[in-house]
Amino acid sequence: MTDASGDVDRLLQLEATQLSRQQEVDRVLAQSILDPFSILGVPHTCSPSDIKLAYRSKSRLIHPDKTAHARARDAFERLKRAETELMDDERRKAILAMMEEARRELAAEWKLERGDEFERAVVEKYKAIMVDIEWRKRQRLKQELAREGAASAREEEMAGSTDADTASLASNGASDLGSAGAPKASGEFEDDSEDEDEPALRYKRLGGSVPGLFEKDTASTLRACERFLVLGTHWGNVIVIDIEGNLIKQWRAHSATVNSVSVDADSEYVASAGDDGRVVVHGLYNDDITIVDYSRPVKAVAIDPMFSRRRRFVCGGTGGQVIMYEKKWYAKGDTILFTSAGPILSIQWMDSLVAWACDEGVQVYDVGRAMRITQIARPEGSPRADLFTCRLQWRDSRTLDIGWADFVQVVVLKERAPDALGPLLYAEISVLFRTDFVVCGLALYRSQFLVLTYGDHGTVDQGRVDSDGGQERNRNAQPPELRVISRNIEEMSSDALPLDGYSLLQPNDYML
């Protein structure tokens, strides 16, 4: 009887030990890598001998050979890095100096209220300072890489110009030898005039992974960055591809159509909004994921350009509210910036300014001062706001380009006189013109407008018949065109884009 009870006691003790091992693994992994003191579970005033003792005790507890926890090795490696970091006198002094800096910054806010809560706030402030330092390092590294890339591109361009001249001479010689009537390569356009200028824009279809990715699914939204493209799909996927079409990353973010995607200034985070009512922010180079459910379809989202430092985004949808979500070290929550009578379909964020379009017009909000700056009314005579998606494009932090139905506006934000009443900035429309086409997308090309266009709003719903697949197609539909328009409102060039299935698409289906 005694032996049996002893076996039970040993079994219970073994289970308790395994449980404590797993709990310690979870505790270590829950700590920020920026705070090695918390990883080791020692106070900031500890001595090197305390650090060694804590490491020996905890390393035996979470060693991968002694626990079945799936992430025991990760926790063990994190513990070892923390011990190595704190045993380095210079590194430990630097961390403590940063802690002291955080304590000084918080001292004025907390006044005489000091205790455990204050110390936790100091640690969170220290983490924020370290994140900011790391962000600045990455910015400097990106600038250096950009400079090196630009220099390399110039060298390749100079080297390639000689090859291009040689190829041009060979081509001319071949045509002199009687190559007339030979078929043109796919994508080239015949031109009878030998003196015609070279086209302003060149096009090619994306290859790589694109055909396979969209064999069954279809794209619903797009965002172009310097190094890659982000696409949302009708099946709720977010896809990141390079400029050649090769897959970089893909994840299932939504259970319904993705309506909008947004990328931060560092190209490290992607926000997506979907008809399932969710906004999802996903890290491209880490496992950081933020999910917020608004229970109603979200049609537009704009991520804070500095999301790695300020966890914020602005979104809107069929509910008519423009909402800013913000996560701080002490709290997280939503702030309603504006309520409209209709849906919010477009949002763009530049520096501290957020612009969105609604039934009332385009609103501009200053996040830094927490106030709405101005409202730009829809042009007189324009069609209903919900018929055509407003296209917003920040040219810089003081210039906003707006394309809405068949109108294009350029709005300049200017500073008021120091003694004037009202917001610091006010809006002035510097350019306003009406077109004979529907604006489906706006961008800048050098100093000119690049405009993606569709027929005109009078023919959008005319001549629609059923196709064999059950989808409606437009008998009068024409392929979209990409136009280059000068600042003097002169059309410099226009190219029809031969897209497959264009007769099934409406202006709101296109994006530039």
Side-chain angles (χ1 to χ4, degrees):
M1 189 73 176
T2 305
D3 292 341
S5 62
D7 291 341
V8 171
D9 289 341
R10 283 192 295 272
L11 180 61
L12 292 174
Q13 184 177 4
L14 179 62
E15 290 181 352
T17 302
Q18 282 297 326
L19 179 61
S20 63
R21 291 180 188 278
Q22 294 188 8
Q23 289 175 339
E24 181 62 18
V25 170
D26 291 335
R27 188 200 67 80
V28 170
L29 292 174
Q31 306 305 313
S32 170
I33 59 174
L34 298 174
D35 186 9
F37 290 101
S38 295
I39 295 174
L40 286 167
V42 294
H44 303 147
T45 55
C46 66
S47 64
S49 59
D50 295 331
I51 295 170
K52 286 184 179 179
L53 183 62
Y55 172 71
R56 288 173 183 169
S57 173
K58 296 184 183 302
S59 62
R60 285 196 295 266
L61 193 62
I62 67 172
H63 196 281
D65 295 339
K66 296 184 178 181
T67 177
H69 197 293
R71 298 193 62 193
R73 185 168 300 279
D74 294 338
F76 184 78
E77 291 175 355
R78 183 173 295 191
L79 189 74
K80 179 59 180 175
R81 284 197 300 269
E83 186 258 353
T84 302
E85 196 169 16
L86 292 183
M87 288 304 294
D88 184 329
D89 289 340
E90 294 299 323
R91 180 60 183 153
R92 187 172 69 255
K93 289 177 182 178
I95 294 174
L96 291 175
M98 288 295 179
M99 289 278 190
E100 190 59 33
E101 176 67 22
R103 185 173 280 102
R104 283 196 297 270
E105 290 190 18
L106 289 176
E109 299 178 17
W110 286 74
K111 297 181 181 178
L112 299 178
E113 298 179 16
R114 304 294 174 85
D116 293 341
E117 190 174 353
F118 174 74
E119 291 302 320
R120 285 194 291 272
V122 168
V123 172
E124 294 298 329
K125 184 66 176 179
Y126 155 77
K127 293 177 186 176
I129 293 174
M130 294 303 294
V131 167
D132 183 67
I133 292 173
E134 181 64 25
W135 177 83
R136 293 177 186 277
K137 286 181 181 178
R138 292 186 184 184
Q139 287 295 99
R140 287 195 295 269
L141 178 60
K142 286 182 180 180
Q143 291 172 0
E144 291 174 4
L145 292 174
R147 285 194 293 268
E148 292 175 1
S152 176
R154 284 194 298 270
E155 291 176 1
E156 291 179 2
E157 185 177 356
M158 293 177 64
S161 63
T162 304
D163 296 339
D165 293 341
T166 304
S168 177
L169 289 171
S171 175
N172 291 337
S175 66
D176 291 341
L177 291 174
S179 61
K184 295 278 186 179
S186 175
E188 293 185 352
F189 296 93
E190 189 116 26
D191 194 344
D192 295 333
S193 174
E194 296 181 357
D195 298 329
E196 189 73 22
D197 291 337
E198 185 177 348
L201 303 171
R202 294 180 180 273
Y203 308 88
K204 74 172 183 177
R205 293 184 183 274
L206 290 175
S209 309
V210 170
L213 288 170
F214 295 102
E215 185 176 1
K216 296 181 179 179
D217 201 357
T218 53
S220 56
T221 187
L222 165 73
R223 176 68 62 188
C225 301
E226 184 178 353
R227 297 175 308 211
F228 54 78
L229 306 175
V230 181
L231 300 100
T233 77
H234 286 288
W235 283 8
N237 295 312
V238 176
I239 300 171
V240 183
I241 59 176
D242 63 21
I243 58 176
E244 298 296 329
N246 301 306
L247 180 64
I248 297 175
K249 197 166 186 177
Q250 177 181 2
W251 61 91
R252 180 74 182 274
H254 302 272
S255 59
T257 297
V258 180
N259 295 312
S260 175
V261 290
S262 178
V263 183
D264 70 328
D266 296 328
S267 298
E268 295 180 352
Y269 289 89
V270 175
S272 58
D275 274 345
D276 59 354
R278 302 201 312 173
V279 173
V280 179
V281 182
H282 199 292
L284 288 177
Y285 309 109
N286 55 46
D287 296 327
D288 190 359
I289 302 176
T290 300
I291 302 176
V292 184
D293 194 336
Y294 290 102
S295 302
R296 298 187 67 178
V298 184
K299 297 296 186 180
V301 65
I303 194 172
D304 189 324
M306 299 292 106
F307 186 82
S308 60
R309 293 191 293 168
R310 301 185 293 262
R311 299 304 178 99
R312 302 184 297 193
F313 62 77
V314 173
C315 65
T318 57
Q321 292 182 331
V322 179
I323 300 172
M324 183 171 73
Y325 171 88
E326 185 169 13
K327 181 180 179 181
K328 297 183 178 180
W329 60 267
Y330 56 84
K332 59 182 179 181
D334 296 330
T335 302
I336 298 176
L337 305 182
F338 184 80
T339 300
S340 171
I344 309 297
L345 301 177
S346 302
I347 304 176
Q348 293 291 328
W349 193 329
M350 167 66 78
D351 291 345
S352 66
L353 300 178
V354 180
W356 63 82
C358 56
D359 282 3
E360 293 79 4
V362 174
Q363 319 288 325
V364 181
Y365 185 90
D366 189 335
V367 176
R369 294 180 174 83
M371 63 187 305
R372 189 156 55 102
I373 295 174
T374 187
Q375 172 176 301
I376 301 104
R378 289 190 298 118
E380 186 176 352
S382 59
R384 281 199 351 248
D386 59 331
L387 292 180
F388 302 100
T389 300
C390 180
R391 313 295 177 163
L392 301 173
Q393 175 70 39
W394 284 104
R395 187 179 304 182
D396 52 52
S397 60
R398 289 293 183 270
T399 311
L400 177 65
D401 297 331
I402 304 172
W404 209 337
D406 52 356
F407 285 91
V408 174
Q409 297 171 287
V410 178
V411 178
V412 179
L413 300 175
K414 298 183 177 181
E415 293 188 6
R416 296 184 188 273
D419 56 346
L421 300 176
L424 179 64
L425 300 175
Y426 70 95
E428 182 179 284
I429 299 176
S430 63
V431 175
L432 170 62
F433 62 93
R434 190 167 192 171
T435 70
D436 57 358
F437 47 76
V438 176
V439 177
C440 301
L442 270 179
L444 279 182
Y445 175 69
R446 298 173 182 168
S447 61
Q448 301 164 324
F449 293 105
L450 191 62
V451 187
L452 182 64
T453 69
Y454 178 104
D456 62 75
H457 66 81
T459 61
V460 169
D461 291 314
Q462 294 178 7
R464 304 195 70 80
V465 298
D466 286 337
S467 68
D468 295 337
Q471 291 179 287
E472 286 190 339
R473 59 184 176 85
N474 193 334
R475 181 183 291 127
N476 301 324
Q478 295 180 350
E481 296 184 44
L482 198 57
R483 304 170 190 257
V484 178
I485 300 176
S486 71
R487 289 181 178 271
N488 297 325
I489 323 302
E490 295 179 356
E491 187 172 298
M492 309 302 293
S493 69
S494 176
D495 298 325
L497 306 181
L499 302 180
D500 295 336
Y502 65 84
S503 61
L504 300 173
L505 301 176
Q506 294 269 34
N508 290 348
D509 296 321
Y510 293 104
M511 182 169 291
L512 180 62

